Amino acid sequence: MTSSIDDEFQDFMAARWPALVRTAYLLTGGHHSAEDLAQTALARAFVKWHRVRDSSDPAAYVRRIMIRCHADQFRRSRVREWLTAHLPDTAAPSPETSRDQREALVQALGQLPARQRTAVVLHFFEDMTHAQVAKALGTRESTVRSQLSRALARLRQDGLLAELTGRTAVPLPPCAPISSTAKDGL
């Protein structure tokens, strides 16, 4: 009995591993951290495999485990790590355009707060609907929409993705002052 369950889990893991690592990479920004996160999520899923297997969507179940593991790691690391704006050692620029684009994308995602980054990754890179993202994050659809809106506005304002899209940074419009005629009407 256990060998068939082990085989079933191994088949699931082999099929989902690339997608899990890709999502984890976009969440963490590092290859090694992504593999660790995916392994942690799969280890927790294996312990609960009877529940995961019986769910309507095992891949979504494991993805949710991974998102929660990432949130837990982020909370723990915030206390122990010293965050800086610049790394002491920077990598030499790559001549490959696709690698530069990937780095720009990871850097831009790294500038977003964790919940906004998670919403962007799940919606745009995992092609999840607002409802699916809300379910994965344990929140409402309206919260997901506002997180996505704020994240996209920040990315546009900072110009972090200008190289990828070929556009220039779009600053947010200043608030228009209230005209004297509008003041009189109040």
Side-chain angles (χ1 to χ4, degrees):
M1 178 85 177
T2 58
S3 64
S4 66
I5 292 173
D6 291 347
D7 292 340
E8 184 181 341
F9 180 76
Q10 285 180 341
D11 292 342
F12 172 81
M13 183 179 67
R16 293 301 303 160
W17 178 253
L20 286 173
V21 171
R22 181 181 57 241
T23 302
Y25 180 78
L26 292 170
L27 290 172
T28 63
H31 183 69
H32 298 294
S33 300
E35 286 184 345
D36 289 344
L37 181 59
Q39 287 175 2
T40 302
L42 286 170
R44 290 186 184 181
F46 181 72
V47 172
K48 302 178 189 180
W49 184 243
H50 64 281
R51 263 194 279 170
V52 174
R53 177 182 59 190
D54 294 339
S55 70
S56 62
D57 188 1
Y61 197 106
V62 173
R63 191 179 313 114
R64 186 168 180 145
I65 291 172
M66 187 171 63
I67 291 167
R68 287 186 175 163
C69 289
H70 175 63
D72 291 344
Q73 289 173 355
F74 183 74
R75 283 186 210 110
R76 282 192 298 263
S77 68
R78 289 191 72 157
V79 175
R80 292 181 286 173
E81 292 180 2
W82 180 43
L83 302 176
T84 62
H86 301 286
L87 295 174
D89 297 327
T90 57
S94 173
E96 300 173 14
T97 305
S98 62
R99 183 173 179 172
D100 291 341
Q101 289 176 339
R102 238 186 352 257
E103 289 175 4
L105 178 62
V106 170
Q107 179 185 5
L109 288 173
Q111 298 295 321
L112 295 175
R115 289 188 59 84
Q116 288 179 8
R117 180 174 55 245
T118 303
V120 167
V121 168
L122 292 178
H123 182 67
F124 292 105
F125 294 100
E126 287 293 321
D127 290 328
M128 294 173 70
T129 64
H130 291 157
Q132 291 170 328
V133 174
K135 186 176 179 185
L137 294 176
T139 187
R140 297 177 304 190
E141 285 185 55
S142 59
T143 304
V144 170
R145 286 192 299 270
S146 69
Q147 292 291 329
L148 288 171
S149 176
R150 289 178 183 146
L152 293 176
R154 182 170 179 179
L155 292 172
R156 286 184 191 114
Q157 179 186 9
D158 293 346
L160 296 172
L161 297 179
E163 296 174 17
L164 293 175
T165 61
R167 300 178 185 169
T168 58
V170 179
L172 294 176
C175 294
I178 299 175
S179 66
S180 59
T181 55
K183 286 180 189 176
D184 295 337
L186 297 175

